[in-house]
Amino acid sequence: MQASPRRDYRLRTNGCPTCLRSSSFTADRFEGVDIKSAFIRAKKLERTYAAQLRKIAGHIGDIVNGFNIQDLPGAQMLQAVMARYSATLTPWAEAVSRRMVTEVAARDERAWVRVSQQMGQALKREIATAPTGEAMRSAMASQVKLITSLPTDAGQRVHDLVIAGISEGRRADAIAEEIARTGEVTKSRATLIARTEVSRTATELTKARAEHIGSTHFIWRTAGDSDVRPSHKKLNGQTFRWDEPPECDPGHHALPGGIWNCRCYPEPIIPEA
């Protein structure tokens, strides 16, 4: 029986002879595997994480509204309360962060399993043994820091509002109205953290596994809807190095999903086995 011709997966267009050619492997399907859909971000996980963080924001709003802050000593007292609340949040923040990062890692692993079905056994084993532990630990530490900053940032906001009100001679009721919005402002920040950090964590784990098996490049993919930023639309479909992320927003270089409110994701270009 005549042997099947060997497929050529080398990336010729970008001068990277060791990478797979995007039109053969990563553009739409590889041996029946939809590569792009494998790495699309999990919106359900993002919503779940956001709901958890908004609970804390709700508690913060209740605490702030429980104070009758009319002067600087009142604002300073609230700051002290928020600092204590932040400290007590740490165990909860660690548990919630661990759950989010673990679920993101599991989803990323499933995506790689789908992709690896058509790869050789050696490459499958390499993917399974990728050193993702450091990326997971880094992500969890970052999440704990962000979660525990919600109360302290809220306390600082109230303090700043009181100082500004005093220096600008604003009416007490106007200052009180802004202080009362602290819970709402914190909820918005909690949603932003969840949306950004789930995507950032997923990207870092995908990158860790990709680089472990020798991948040097990825294709930038957007969510493909009307909410995609114009600057990110221009990046869609372009190929970049993992260690040289493009300027996705003015003055900001980042991987897909690595910047605030970014729902883009990287499509790894896999080296030829």
Side-chain angles (χ1 to χ4, degrees):
M1 181 181 297
Q2 185 177 4
S4 299
R6 180 179 177 83
R7 292 177 182 269
D8 181 5
Y9 292 133
R10 291 175 296 174
L11 178 63
R12 300 183 186 280
T13 56
N14 286 356
C16 177
T18 62
C19 299
L20 294 181
R21 186 175 54 190
S22 59
S23 60
S24 296
F25 186 91
T26 58
D28 289 300
R29 293 180 181 274
F30 171 65
E31 301 289 349
V33 178
D34 189 339
I35 303 300
K36 283 190 287 188
S37 67
F39 291 97
I40 288 175
R41 296 301 180 235
K43 306 306 293 180
K44 182 179 179 180
L45 178 54
E46 177 190 303
R47 289 193 296 269
T48 300
Y49 192 45
Q52 294 277 18
L53 300 194
R54 282 196 293 267
K55 290 179 183 177
I56 299 301
H59 294 159
I60 290 170
D62 290 341
I63 293 171
V64 171
N65 293 332
F67 275 74
N68 182 21
I69 301 171
Q70 297 181 334
D71 51 23
L72 186 56
Q76 292 172 331
M77 184 181 299
L78 176 65
Q79 276 190 299
V81 170
M82 287 300 185
R84 290 196 295 271
Y85 183 33
S86 175
T88 63
L89 267 182
T90 298
W92 182 88
E94 289 173 346
V96 171
S97 299
R98 184 178 300 107
R99 188 179 306 119
M100 184 276 279
V101 173
T102 300
E103 290 181 10
V104 170
R107 191 175 192 278
D108 184 68
E109 185 176 10
R110 288 194 296 272
W112 280 103
V113 167
R114 288 180 59 190
V115 172
S116 70
Q117 293 306 310
Q118 306 301 326
M119 298 178 182
Q121 290 300 319
L123 196 51
K124 286 184 184 180
R125 286 194 295 271
E126 284 293 300
I127 291 173
T129 59
T132 56
E134 181 57 37
M136 292 178 69
R137 284 189 294 273
S138 176
M140 284 189 281
S142 177
Q143 299 317 298
V144 170
K145 185 175 181 180
L146 285 168
I147 292 172
T148 56
S149 73
L150 289 172
T152 53
D153 285 357
Q156 185 64 48
R157 178 180 188 273
V158 172
H159 180 273
D160 292 345
L161 285 170
V162 171
I163 292 293
I166 293 171
S167 63
E168 296 168 8
R170 297 177 62 190
R171 298 194 329 270
D173 57 347
I175 299 172
E177 185 177 345
E178 278 300 308
I179 289 174
R181 291 188 59 250
T182 298
E184 178 186 341
V185 170
T186 305
K187 283 184 181 179
S188 295
R189 181 163 178 260
T191 300
L192 175 61
I193 288 173
R195 179 176 297 168
T196 303
E197 295 305 313
V198 168
S199 288
R200 192 199 309 275
T201 300
T203 292
E204 289 303 316
L205 287 167
T206 298
K207 175 176 179 281
R209 287 191 169 96
E211 290 187 327
H212 180 65
I213 62 171
S215 171
T216 58
H217 292 71
F218 68 89
I219 299 174
W220 188 292
R221 297 295 184 192
T222 70
D225 56 33
S226 59
D227 292 332
V228 175
R229 290 175 242 193
S231 59
H232 292 201
K233 283 183 181 179
K234 293 178 181 179
L235 298 175
N236 188 45
Q238 294 191 45
T239 302
F240 303 97
R241 289 184 60 89
W242 289 108
D243 57 0
E244 294 179 1
E247 185 177 20
C248 53
D249 284 86
H252 295 280
H253 290 255
L255 294 172
I259 200 169
W260 57 88
N261 274 330
C262 178
R263 298 167 300 134
C264 302
Y265 62 95
E267 181 186 335
I269 298 178
I270 315 300
E272 184 177 4

